[in-house]
Amino acid sequence: MDKLSFEQTIAVLGAVADGLIASKDELTALDAALGDGDLGRTVERGFKAISDALQTNEEADLGKLLFKLGKVFGDAAASSFGALFGTALRKGGMALKGKTELTAADIADGMQAALDALIELGKAKIGDKTMLDAIHPAIQAIRACESTDVGACLRAAADAAQAGAEQTKTMQSMIGRASWQGERSIGQMDAGARAIALMLDAAARKVMSDGP
Amino acid sequence: MDKLSFEQTIAVLGAVADGLIASKDELTALDAALGDGDLGRTVERGFKAISDALQTNEEADLGKLLFKLGKVFGDAAASSFGALFGTALRKGGMALKGKTELTAADIADGMQAALDALIELGKAKIGDKTMLDAIHPAIQAIRACESTDVGACLRAAADAAQAGAEQTKTMQSMIGRASWQGERSIGQMDAGARAIALMLDAAARKVMSDGP
Amino acid sequence: MKKILNHPENYVPELLSGLLAAHPHRLKSVAGDVHCIVRADAPRQGKVGIVTGGGSGHLPVFLGYVGAGLLDGCAVGDVFASPTVDQMYHVTKAVHGGAGVLHLFGNYGGDVMNFAAAADQAAMEDSIEVATVLVADDVASAPPERADRRRGVAGMVYAFKIAGARAEQGGTLAEVKADAEHALANTRSMGVALSPCILPQVGKPTFTLGDDEMEIGMGIHGEPGTARGKLESADAITDALLDRIMADIDLSGAEVTVMLNSLGATPLEELYIMYNRVLSRFKAAGVTVYRPYIGRFATSMEMAGASITVMKLDETLKALLDAPATSPFFDNGQYL
Amino acid sequence: MKKILNHPENYVPELLSGLLAAHPHRLKSVAGDVHCIVRADAPRQGKVGIVTGGGSGHLPVFLGYVGAGLLDGCAVGDVFASPTVDQMYHVTKAVHGGAGVLHLFGNYGGDVMNFAAAADQAAMEDSIEVATVLVADDVASAPPERADRRRGVAGMVYAFKIAGARAEQGGTLAEVKADAEHALANTRSMGVALSPCILPQVGKPTFTLGDDEMEIGMGIHGEPGTARGKLESADAITDALLDRIMADIDLSGAEVTVMLNSLGATPLEELYIMYNRVLSRFKAAGVTVYRPYIGRFATSMEMAGASITVMKLDETLKALLDAPATSPFFDNGQYL
Ligand SMILES: Nc1ncnc2c1ncn2[C@@H]1O[C@H](COP(=O)(O)OP(=O)(O)O)[C@@H](O)[C@H]1O
Ligand SMILES: Nc1ncnc2c1ncn2[C@@H]1O[C@H](COP(=O)(O)OP(=O)(O)O)[C@@H](O)[C@H]1O
Ligand SMILES: [Mg+2]
Ligand SMILES: [Mg+2]
Ligand SMILES: [Mg+2]
Ligand SMILES: [Mg+2]
């Protein structure tokens, strides 16, 4: 399909939430290796709050919904990731205001707005070993996607994000808690980048399983 | 022999000190079971100080020497046992003032004076599961000793003290730290009583090894 | 052994010289012995001197309460061991300002016998009038009919505060003694231990507790308590301590001050969780809290655990509790 | 898990309600949320408000420094976790007395981003002027050329004290901010960890250290340090911390205040043993101590370990350090 309907988008968001909650132990372990080991808990709290908000949603504008979910996420899990990802959702929502369905290009636009906001708020650069290093290649993959099928483009985005997360193993952390590890951070995967890859993977799976 | 000469008495005191220092771990373990586990350290410090004082002794009056050693012991190890045993030595010394050699009866007299002082200071009774329960039968054994040989009488005293220490296993502790164990104290040997038995045993061995 | 130290044998002299160097305006040592610590302004003429003493390893107890409105001097022993008669005597002599000296300390055999000898010596050699009050507040350590046999734990801090205030106000030796006794007659404590501490010179714990165990009623040197069992909830632990305390002293309708004391490793956060339960139990019993003291007042080095102390108040005790008091380890302003 | 608690998930709300019930004359919560704590007399008209915030599990940090001559409010997060933007905003609003608000807190990503959003909200919705000062005193966490990336540890207590004194004296927002920055420019810290702590909701340590190991430079949430190795002597540990601090700031001939801080389980006794070494190192470098702060000022629950903080003084900082300050967790009278 070349568009995600409103209902499909809600279903995809729900699947992302479930997928990340299921992966919390992996994220905790990755964050413990480089930071303080609370990312699993952050993601669990944040996505649980998003799940709950989706159950009772009455907002019909997808942009406004994402904006609201950003606030919900940040309030539920006020860590670095929570503040950053909450802001990303809000800014992505602002870019998609008025939409009731999403093309692959819309998704790329929303993610680009989110990325810009993350850079402004978090002051990290691409290559600093953060979630940016998963988001950035994912956007490029959607832009480069020759199919009009949203599922196929999300699959490409997820694969690029995972490749980006793998790539963080070679980087030295330059920002946030993990930067205190200095050179010891080299060799480990960034937990936030892995979280982004898991989100896009869950989204792609959900869209593909719902058929073209 | 029916008297301990001045030099023999000094040698016996030295042997007692060495013997008790060698037994410190046993005493620590016994005190740990019922109290706070510091008796080994108390005995080590106290008898080390006595050893040192004996090296440099210039006092020719055995009574005055014991009095001085009592103060040395109490200052070196200011625990319950240290305060009590230091006082016992002082009061025993006062009873033996003027002596330059000791018969078995003298030893019994000194020990009786010490026992009286312990009861006055510590407020314990015979049967309260303390060192009194080793000292009391030891005095009785010397008084009952039919030999005039100091070594034989000390042997009898040591055996009686050890029997008394064994007997404390059946008692409930009524005083000091161990009394906080209440009924749980039954079955364990009192550490202070065992220390007295060890002292008398070391004394008896030393006298016997020096021959009659 | 997870301790920051140099030579275990020098633990106490090293910590004392660090402490004296840190607080020269407040404290000094006498008789050339760092174990003999008195207020920098001792002796204070005309004021009753108050002296305590006991083993090291319990900071702020004992010497942490030497200060204005508190104690005048402290004889410091080795870790968990009594100071010597001489040390007690020197401190007594150094704080005597002509109005006599109160010996106020915990009911432990070595301390009791040594303080008795020191008091005799001060009377004999220096004609100092010495009175003695023993702290025996731990209800877990003996039944009511043998209350005189109980050991002294965190309740001594209330005794220091009350007696210290009276002495600072110019009370006579008899008055200071009477107030200390009055405070203690109204004070009860009980504690729980979750993990042991390690004596520096021994290098290993004197007792062990399983990973999921606690001992209710344990003393501050690891003396046995009333029950060892599985670690329970904060509410259940608080109930176990309060049940025993409230069975020992009638608090119904009373106004009290309550002290929640960490034995060392237990964080303040957990004391506040316990305090919730204390308040609901008190509410049910019609007990009101005049003022809580929550923190580390009497510790056992790095032992994990906590104790609760209750002092039933009347107008006299309230006024003395409110009086100013300050030392390098305690400032009553924090609790007002 | 050797903790006194009820339900791990309720750890923070339970401790906060116990704490608010214990100190009603001093503290209150606002916005119907126990995580939003301010002085009982907030807002104080005409006075600059000072707000901090951060995770729980560090008492007295953070909320323990809400008090007279100190901070006006604190947003409290879950254990080791940032409070929310809303909580920070509500506290900011509640302490605003017309003279603006300083946000003064540790340099941790979540806190930085959330405080920034809260400051925007306070400016947008209530026209409150907010200034921000980050505490980044831990020399172990980044080299001098990246000093802005360092984390905030016990040095924040000096920043609270200095800024709080200036605000109490009627300083403007710009003055209070300048003094906080001046204090921090002269403050450096570094710590050592001997054993980990356990997050109540996690139930196991986030890192492990061998029985004979320590980690020099570790942060107060268990963040990695500069070197892990065998446990060394108190003197060697003190040297390792001071070497790094004194390489980062020139102290020669300076007058300083020094804070020896236990991370929780480490007893005060050990801090005084370290203080001996601090003094001899300072003596050799011509550094004099104006006044030491020795105790538990910034902890990590039951973690064993210690930190050293040095603040280089001038007449301004000395006067502000001496100013009265009192909270239920800190009374400056104790250190004078
Ligand atoms: N300034 C930043 N910009 C972008 N991403 C960041 C930044 N700081 C942290 N992150 C991401 O957040 C992840 C850690 O989040 P979290 O565990 O919440 O941090 P903390 O526990 O330190 O507050 C990192 O793995 C990284 O991907
Ligand atoms: N009041 C007393 N009278 C007689 N003996 C006592 C008394 N109190 C203790 N003891 C003896 O001292 C021994 C313990 O000595 P010690 O370990 O020094 O005590 P603590 O460590 O409690 O000060 C006991 O085993 C007992 O034999
Ligand atoms: Mg984290
Ligand atoms: Mg003992
Ligand atoms: Mg003892
Ligand atoms: Mg975190």
Side-chain angles (χ1 to χ4, degrees), chain B residues 158-179:
Chain B
D159 293 345
Q162 180 55 28
E166 288 290 339
Q167 193 61 27
T168 63
K169 288 187 187 168
T170 65
M171 302 172 184
Q172 177 173 338
S173 181
M174 298 306 286
I175 202 139
R177 253 200 173 79
S179 71

Side-chain angles (χ1 to χ4, degrees), chain A residues 120-143:
Chain A
E120 195 190 323
L121 174 62
K123 309 272 185 295
K125 296 188 300 294
I126 308 290
D128 281 357
K129 191 171 185 138
T130 68
M131 60 171 131
L132 306 190
D133 298 309
I135 299 173
H136 179 67
I139 298 171
Q140 289 182 309
I142 305 182
R143 298 267 191 237

Side-chain angles (χ1 to χ4, degrees), chain A residues 31 35-39 42 79-82 84 118 121-124 129-132 175-177 190-193, chain D residues 109-110 113:
Chain A
D31 188 37
D36 58 356
D38 60 359
L39 187 62
T42 291
S79 61
S80 296
F81 191 87
L84 288 162
L118 283 176
L121 174 62
K123 309 272 185 295
K129 191 171 185 138
T130 68
M131 60 171 131
L132 306 190
I175 202 140
R177 249 197 178 86
D190 176 65
Chain D
M113 292 181 272

Side-chain angles (χ1 to χ4, degrees), chain B residues 44-55:
Chain B
E44 182 185 26
R45 289 181 154 206
F47 278 112
K48 175 80 177 54
I50 283 192
S51 262
D52 292 348
L54 289 173
Q55 307 294 320

